Amino acid sequence: MGQQVKKKKNPAALVKQATARLEKEYGVPSPKPYRNPLDELVQTILSQNTNDLNRDRAYTSLRSRFPEWEQVMRAPAKKIAEAIKVGGLANQKSVRIKKILTIIQERYGALDLDFLKKTPVQEGMELLGSFNGVGPKT
């Protein structure tokens, strides 16, 4: 009697099959609209060590209190911390955000990272990683 050998299924085929079933059941998801790169960077910093709900609340509160990034950069860290306290670690994050905005202004002459849209990924990761508190995960 010979043993039957179970044939392993191709992982890519399994993923494709699962995706088709999910899309049939729930539809194709729409990608979230991205903000400009500076907005995304600040929101990502706010997401550190918290959940999405508190990150979003902190971001909304920050932008409500300081509609322009220049206002955030010029504000005392204590005032920034008050605006983002719902996100947790507000004292650390406020100093980090203020410092990063200052560096961007000094390096590039404006609070704008739109050039990253055309920058090679590795180069963009190195640039962002040069900011204190921004690592590969961020």
Side-chain angles (χ1 to χ4, degrees), residues 24-25 35 59 79 88 118:
K24 182 178 178 183
E25 182 70 25
R35 297 176 180 91
Y59 183 83
K79 296 291 183 187
K118 296 179 183 174

Side-chain angles (χ1 to χ4, degrees), residues 7 15 20 22 31 52 65-66 73 76 102 110 113 121 123 129-131 138:
K7 191 174 182 181
V15 169
L22 289 167
D52 291 351
R65 179 120 183 229
F66 304 104
M73 184 181 69
T102 301
L113 293 176
V121 172
E123 188 179 326
S130 72
F131 300 133
T138 304

Side-chain angles (χ1 to χ4, degrees), residues 36-110:
N36 72 56
L38 185 56
D39 292 355
E40 289 289 335
L41 175 60
V42 172
Q43 188 175 37
T44 303
I45 292 166
L46 291 171
S47 75
Q48 295 169 344
N49 297 304
T50 194
N51 59 44
D52 291 351
L53 179 63
N54 287 337
R55 173 209 58 207
D56 292 345
R57 287 177 176 164
Y59 183 83
T60 299
S61 176
L62 178 67
R63 294 316 301 258
S64 176
R65 179 120 183 229
F66 304 104
E68 302 295 327
W69 290 123
E70 290 81 6
Q71 295 171 311
V72 177
M73 184 181 69
R74 292 186 182 104
K78 183 178 179 179
K79 296 291 183 187
I80 299 167
E82 289 170 7
I84 64 172
K85 67 183 173 190
V86 69
L89 300 175
N91 292 331
Q92 288 177 288
K93 293 175 184 180
S94 63
V95 171
R96 185 170 293 155
I97 291 167
K98 182 176 175 63
K99 180 69 174 169
I100 288 172
L101 292 174
T102 301
I103 292 169
I104 292 169
Q105 178 68 41
E106 290 171 356
R107 278 188 196 170
Y108 307 108

